[in-house]
Amino acid sequence: MSPDRIALKGLRARGRHGVLPAERELGQEFVVDATLFLDTAPAAAGDDLTKTVHYRELAEALVEVVEGEPVALMETLAQRLADVCLASELVRKVEVSVHKPAAPIPLPFDDVVVTIERSRV
């Protein structure tokens, strides 16, 4: 049976991630999408928040990572965010996308996105 999903999309936070010194100095907005795969039936059966992922707490933890220690690569940031999502033993798998809409690219573009998928071993 396919697990259920909880998705948090468009979470915005300011971070200082990037390879260029200006990115570290000035910072920029990052947008995070996270889809968690888990069984929500136990929570639904008892209407019990403790048997699912509290998405407000998840959002706060993800923002802490984005606003926290800078990294050079979006791939590293995405991995750190996936690790936060997998901290709950209820989560079987996660897909995390990190958007960097103000990436320093001197050409017209809409967005740069790194998407990773990680699962519990």
Side-chain angles (χ1 to χ4, degrees), residues 33-49:
D33 301 326
T35 302
L36 287 61
F37 296 80
L38 66 155
D39 183 4
T40 63
D47 198 27
D48 186 349
L49 180 60

Side-chain angles (χ1 to χ4, degrees), residues 54-65:
H54 192 307
Y55 49 81
R56 185 191 75 219
E57 291 176 358
L58 174 65
E60 290 169 349
L62 295 174
V63 165
E64 280 184 29
V65 171

Side-chain angles (χ1 to χ4, degrees), residues 36-93:
L36 287 61
F37 296 80
L38 66 155
D39 183 4
T40 63
D47 198 27
D48 186 349
L49 180 60
T50 66
K51 294 184 178 177
T52 189
V53 174
H54 192 307
Y55 49 81
R56 185 191 75 219
E57 291 176 358
L58 174 65
E60 290 169 349
L62 295 174
V63 165
E64 280 184 29
V65 171
V66 175
E67 293 178 345
E69 179 185 346
V71 296
L73 301 178
M74 291 173 59
E75 292 85 346
T76 306
L77 180 58
Q79 181 64 56
R80 289 182 178 181
L81 295 166
D83 291 343
V84 167
C85 295
L86 288 169
S88 169
E89 296 204 13
L90 298 170
V91 178
R92 297 178 188 169
K93 182 172 78 169

Side-chain angles (χ1 to χ4, degrees), residues 87-111:
S88 169
E89 296 204 13
L90 298 170
V91 178
R92 297 178 188 169
K93 182 172 78 169
V94 64
E95 181 180 278
V96 173
S97 295
V98 177
H99 302 256
K100 192 173 182 181
I105 299 172
L107 300 163
F109 75 100
D110 289 330
D111 199 1

